Amino acid sequence: MSSYLPPAERIWWNEPVGKTEIVWILLAFVWCLILFFMMPYWHMYGKQNLSNEAYQTTPAKHEANVKAMVDKYKVREEAGIPVVAPPPGSDVYLLGRIWQWYPMLELQKNQSYRLHLSSLDWQHGFSLQPVNINIQVLPGYETVVTMTPDQAGEYTIVCNEYCGLGHHTMLGKIYVKE
Ligand code: CUA
């Protein structure tokens, strides 16, 4: 039979449904509800996906913001990459590009910062270890998260969206000082 022809049985939509099929439909429906409510639950209690704001930007604009911040607040250099200590409460700019997070940041414990994330080329993933915060980073958009680090230490940014040959080497660093 072809879909050009009307169905042989006119009330095809009102056939009795088999018991097993009903059970599967119900199971799938319940599972959909569980997954649906997991989204707000995980947002609030999972601490992995922070509340964020998103704005349109351009790679050039974001790069200029990063450069201005680095010029103003650079404290030292590590492996050729500047380490920047922006003042508490300020806007902090971090960029992802193949295959680097730039620059390194030095923040103070229990102080809030507005972290602006964007990419200069294509999609990267900001995964903060060991706390497992996870943020998607896209060119053309800046994702802004307000964060208050509550534990001193050394955090590593790992890129967790595949971005090419050097993806596994795309690391960054955030220091949190007492
Ligand atoms: Cu950047 Cu993977």
Side-chain angles (χ1 to χ4, degrees):
M1 193 175 76
S2 130
S3 56
Y4 290 110
L5 302 171
E9 185 58 66
R10 296 298 298 184
I11 47 160
W12 53 269
W13 43 269
N14 204 16
E15 293 284 319
V17 181
K19 210 174 177 184
T20 349
E21 196 171 359
I22 292 263
V23 169
W24 279 114
I25 289 170
L26 280 177
L27 281 175
F29 181 69
V30 168
W31 186 237
C32 283
L33 286 180
I34 291 171
L35 292 182
F36 180 80
F37 286 107
M38 267 308 279
M39 290 192 282
Y41 169 81
W42 194 244
H43 177 75
M44 285 184 286
Y45 301 103
K47 292 179 181 170
Q48 187 179 18
N49 304 105
L50 305 178
S51 299
N52 66 58
E53 304 152 49
Y55 304 98
Q56 281 193 319
T57 185
T58 62
K61 239 193 253 176
H62 192 71
E63 195 174 21
N65 287 335
V66 170
K67 193 181 176 300
M69 182 195 70
V70 171
D71 289 346
K72 216 164 165 190
Y73 302 119
K74 179 179 156 180
V75 286
R76 60 177 188 279
E77 230 170 69
E78 262 176 48
I81 298 172
V83 181
V84 179
S90 68
D91 289 288
V92 177
Y93 296 88
L94 185 73
L95 66 84
R97 63 182 164 205
I98 45 170
W99 288 287
Q100 187 184 55
W101 294 103
Y102 180 94
M104 295 188 196
L105 300 173
E106 193 174 274
L107 308 178
Q108 284 173 41
K109 188 181 154 183
N110 294 331
Q111 298 289 342
S112 293
Y113 300 86
R114 276 171 66 77
L115 180 63
H116 299 243
L117 290 162
S118 191
S119 162
L120 295 198
D121 34 55
W122 49 68
Q123 174 175 252
H124 299 285
F126 174 100
S127 169
L128 192 64
Q129 301 299 332
V131 284
N132 206 23
I133 284 170
N134 191 11
I135 304 165
Q136 197 178 24
V137 181
L138 299 163
Y141 292 91
E142 60 169 5
T143 303
V144 185
V145 262
T146 303
M147 52 155 66
T148 311
D150 58 3
Q151 268 185 338
E154 197 179 314
Y155 297 84
T156 301
I157 309 165
V158 177
C159 181
N160 66 354
E161 296 279 3
Y162 182 70
C163 56
L165 284 181
H167 161 70
H168 62 288
T169 66
M170 185 166 167
L171 301 170
K173 186 77 62 190
I174 296 180
Y175 296 102
V176 177
K177 291 177 84 177
E178 286 285 351

